[in-house]
Each structure stands twice: as C-alpha cells, then as structure tokens.
Amino acid sequence: MAFDTDVLICGAGAAGLTLAIDLARHGIDSILIEQNAQPFGGSRGKGLQPRSLEIFEDLGLLDRLMEAGGPYPPLLVYRADGSREKTSLSEDRTTPSPAEPYAHPLMVAQFRTEAVLRERLAELGQQPRFGCQLTGFEQDADGVSARIQDATGSHTLRARYLIGTDGGRSFVRNALGIGFPGQSLGVRALVADVDLTGLDRLVWHRFQLGTAATQIMVCPLVGTELFQIQAPVPLEGEVDLSAQGLTSLLRDRSNRDDIVVQSVVWSSVYSMSSRLADRYRVGRVFLAGDAAHIHPPTGGQGLNTSVQDAYNLGWKLAAVLKGAPDALLETYEEERRPIASDMLDLSTRMLGEARDGRMRRNREVRQMDLGYRASSLSQSERAETARIKAGDRAPDAPCRTPDGQQTRLFTLFLGPEWILMGQNVQNRPAASSGLRIITVGDGGDVVDDNGFIAEAYGLDGNEWVLIRPDGYIAAFSSSEGLKETLSHYREVAIPASAPSPSAPEKKHMA
C-alpha cells in the first residue's frame, strides 16, 4: 500500500507545529492537519521558559520570537487597605551565564508564537492544512490508514505513523481508548484578550481586594497593544464576556470605574483539571502535548512541556524511519511521561499558592533541570558524585575557533545531528553519517580559553561526551571505551542512513 506521508500530525498547535518543523529538518515528510478553519487566535500560553528558548534557537526561530514578545513586566498587587506592592515574578536574581544563556521566561502571546512556528515551517516547504478533520483511523503492522474530512469531501490518507497533538479533548486519545485519569480542581476561570483604557502597560496588575475568588489580573501582552484579563469565576452559570460585561467585572473587583474594556479580541471560560494519559503510544500512534496531559496554567508549564514532547519525539521518529530499531520509540513515553507527571504536581501546587495571593516563580518553572538520568538511553562511566551526568541537559559555553572567531557550543550544536565532543583528545574517530565531531583544545576545532567548556562538562583529558539531537547528554566515555559506546548507540539510536526511507506518493489532498 502506497504511503502519502511518513508522519500524519493531527493538531496544528505549538506541539504539532514544533514536531512538523523538527521532522522537516531531519528530512522526514509529514502532513499537519487541523480541524479548525483558522489558526488559534488567543494569548493563552504566553510564557516561554528558558529551556524552550534553547529549543527554539536550535529550530531557527528564536530571534523572531524575541521580536514578537519581551520580558515579563513586574507584578503590582493592589490590596484592600489601599496599599500596593511591586515585585518581580522571579524569587531569585538569576542572570544569564556561560552555561545557561537564557535566565528568564519570554512573554509571547500564544497566537504570535504559533504564527512564528508556521512561518518557520513554511520556510521548510510545508504548511498546516486547516479545516481538515481526522474522523477515524486503523493501523496495521506497516502504517496507519486515516480518514480525513475537508471542504472537498472525505479522503483516506496512508501514513507510517500518526501523532495526536489535538488537545485536551483529543480525538486520537479517545479513539485509542487510552485512559485520562486525574482530577477536577474545583476552579473555573476566564481569560480574555482585550483592548482597554485606564491602566498602564508597565506592570502586571493584580487586584487582591478580597478573597481568592474575587481577585482579577490584567497583564499587558508584550509585543501587542492588548491586555490579558484573568479571573476566577463561579463554577456554574453564564459569564458575560462582552466588553461591557468585563468592564463591570473589573469595576466590581478593583473598585475602580476608570478601567474600561473597549473591545474583546478573544475570550474563553474553562474549568481547571489535572490529568495524565495512561499511555503515550499504541502501536504506530502517539500522543503529545495537551492530548497527553492537561493541568492548570499556573507556572507557565503547559505550552513548554508540549513543545518539549515534540522535540523528544521528533528525532526518534526520524531515526526509526531512517533505520534505527523501533524500540527507540518506547523511550518517548519512558522519558516524557514522568516529566509530565511532575509538571502536573508543580502546576497544581502553584495553583494553591496563587489562591493565597503568591505568584513568585523560581528555578523549578524554567525547566532547565529536567532530564533523563533514569532513561535506558543514558549511559555513563562517571562517578556518582559527578555534577553533570548522562541524561542531563547539555550546557552551552562560549569558546573560539582556532583563528580567533568567538562562538558558542550552542552555535556549533545547531542542527539535527548527534554531537560527539572530546576535550584534549588524541585520536579523532572517523566521520560518519548523523554524527558531528567537535574537539576542544590545542589543534582542535575550538579553543576553551576561559575554561567555560571544562567547567560546564567537567571533561577529563581524553574524555568524550555524546549529545543527542534534542540537546541531552547520552553518554560520557573514555577514549578507550569510545568505540564500544558509539557501536552501542549506532545499534539503538543513531541511524546509519541519512535520507528518509521513501519519497511518499502524494495520492490525496494535493
């Protein structure tokens, strides 16, 4: 049976777009469909955490996101006694470092983030197909046959893999019969993007004049002329989301009549839940993003976790499609589901803190310390006391080329290949497909004048570090053990071939 594509992605939000971009740069063909006729138009997931910024740098779109948003404003809390307190959202005064170039989250309205992702995908020769709904699918040993409904009618589309990035009500998850256990959190809230007058754009305004149930927050959406309103609402009943209704709500909860909503661009009322899919995979069908986990918005974790799901799955799908064993795909759930479980706990805990009026954020929300030390893909000869180990995020470090040009490891790491980096090594392995070799030291590819690479990685003389395409360390190895280490990863994860296994025949939906 001919294939229309290697990977069919259902859902063109941040997770689906990130996955399509990553697959494209690996040379893998995909089709991205979205049942809605138009792109999402709201600001909902407006915080990009530092780890996501590193991912977006690798995917070639960070500069555009920086232009689309900006730093979070300080928080200004108004209290019932008339007092005000201005604070930073961050509990610490973290600054960029050689190992961590991005110290704080970037505020970018979700609709702007997704627009940048679509632009990058278009540069890679693809675009989402809006108004295109998945209505059913069956899978066999070789692929998935999906039924698609669009403006021209019903079609059957054949793919090697199907990925459900179709949100909390995921059709794909429900069709697979995957359980989605968790709990309702007893909180209902509104979020709205509005044009309003009466408040400045220099701070994030939080009116905490009574109980948690009567607070309201108004945040200027950096990079736009809009404000985002967030507020808890009663568990039952209609909520007036018109400009007049939101103005009335603001007046009631701020005790001010000078704040006037002029227009409403987008709005939503939702009930908060915390749920995690029992499984992330059934055969050739996978879940990612909100299809696999939903949670309260506190802490700005959701969109970021979804992006990182896609970034983890993308290189593994590409590797298997190029000849790596199917067992590599089992490590997707092995690695990402525990991360999501911890994220749900964090978001739920922070929801409780927000009810008490606390919104300070610390390092745990930035996702820099998340990793895969327990993964079956992580191997290390390092001592238990080592500060950095296999499974950890690979740090950045400034360095220079032998001719004196300043650069960074992250610049050298750009792209979809594995990285093998050695410091003060004698014998350089032969070049091979899918593996980029970087040597550090005299006579090497880069010079570590200031010792930043040595500090970040702690490499002994004649030691190597193997880094995965998603920027996590797979293994540390001595020169003596390097041949065996590379042989192992060639068997389980690094494909021997570079091109996609086929040039899929475009039968439908041309």
Side-chain angles (χ1 to χ4, degrees), residues 360-405:
R360 302 293 291 277
R361 311 283 169 79
N362 57 25
R363 184 177 175 87
E364 63 185 339
V365 305
R366 298 172 196 151
Q367 303 193 337
M368 298 294 284
D369 299 323
L370 302 180
Y372 311 121
R373 286 189 178 185
S375 170
S376 59
L377 286 179
S378 301
Q379 293 191 357
S380 182
E381 299 177 3
R382 305 211 119 183
E384 285 297 316
T385 55
R387 181 177 56 85
I388 186 169
K389 297 182 180 180
D392 291 349
R393 162 194 165 273
D396 194 10
C399 51
R400 69 170 175 86
T401 60
D403 62 4
Q405 182 178 355

Side-chain angles (χ1 to χ4, degrees), residues 283-323:
R284 290 180 168 268
V285 185
F286 295 79
L287 303 177
D290 287 353
H293 43 74
I294 58 172
H295 47 84
T298 38
Q301 300 295 288
L303 183 147
N304 297 274
T305 302
S306 298
V307 163
Q308 292 175 54
D309 284 349
Y311 195 56
N312 183 289
L313 180 58
W315 73 267
K316 295 173 180 178
L317 282 169
V320 171
L321 284 163
K322 293 175 185 178

Side-chain angles (χ1 to χ4, degrees), residues 262-486:
Q262 304 295 330
S263 62
V264 181
V265 175
W266 171 83
S267 62
S268 176
V269 174
Y270 63 100
S271 296
M272 297 186 194
S273 297
S274 176
R275 300 187 182 278
L276 179 62
D278 284 334
R279 301 177 64 185
Y280 278 25
R281 179 189 189 185
V282 175
R284 290 180 168 268
V285 185
F286 295 79
L287 303 177
D290 287 353
H293 43 74
I294 58 172
H295 47 84
T298 38
Q301 300 295 288
L303 183 147
N304 297 274
T305 302
S306 298
V307 163
Q308 292 175 54
D309 284 349
Y311 195 56
N312 183 289
L313 180 58
W315 73 267
K316 295 173 180 178
L317 282 169
V320 171
L321 284 163
K322 293 175 185 178
D326 179 81
L328 176 62
L329 294 174
E330 291 299 318
T331 68
Y332 167 61
E333 178 178 327
E334 176 193 352
E335 293 182 344
R336 292 305 301 169
R337 194 171 181 278
I339 295 286
S341 179
D342 290 345
M343 181 269 292
L344 264 60
D345 291 342
L346 173 63
S347 297
T348 303
R349 190 196 82 213
M350 296 188 77
L351 175 63
E353 294 173 354
R355 286 170 166 173
D356 296 334
R358 291 176 289 160
M359 281 190 63
R360 302 293 291 277
R361 311 283 169 79
N362 57 25
R363 184 177 175 87
E364 63 185 339
V365 305
R366 298 172 196 151
Q367 303 193 337
M368 298 294 284
D369 299 323
L370 302 180
Y372 311 121
R373 286 189 178 185
S375 170
S376 59
L377 286 179
S378 301
Q379 293 191 357
S380 182
E381 299 177 3
R382 305 211 119 183
E384 285 297 316
T385 55
R387 181 177 56 85
I388 186 169
K389 297 182 180 180
D392 291 349
R393 162 194 165 273
D396 194 10
C399 51
R400 69 170 175 86
T401 60
D403 62 4
Q405 182 178 355
Q406 297 299 310
T407 188
R408 303 159 52 211
L409 286 185
F410 277 10
T411 300
L412 300 174
F413 291 174
L414 289 174
E417 294 124 323
W418 287 70
I419 302 293
L420 178 65
M421 184 172 70
Q423 187 155 9
N424 299 322
V425 289
Q426 300 300 316
N427 298 313
R428 184 188 186 102
S432 57
S433 174
L435 183 67
R436 190 185 312 162
I437 301 172
I438 299 171
T439 56
V440 183
D442 294 338
D445 300 303
V446 294
V447 180
D448 188 26
D449 281 332
N450 297 307
F452 292 131
I453 297 176
E455 180 181 356
Y457 287 86
L459 294 174
D460 297 328
N462 226 27
E463 188 177 16
W464 297 85
V465 58
L466 181 64
I467 301 170
R468 302 166 12 164
D470 59 352
Y472 287 89
I473 295 170
F476 288 93
S477 174
S478 65
S479 289
E480 292 75 18
L482 183 59
K483 182 177 180 180
E484 182 179 350
T485 297
L486 291 179

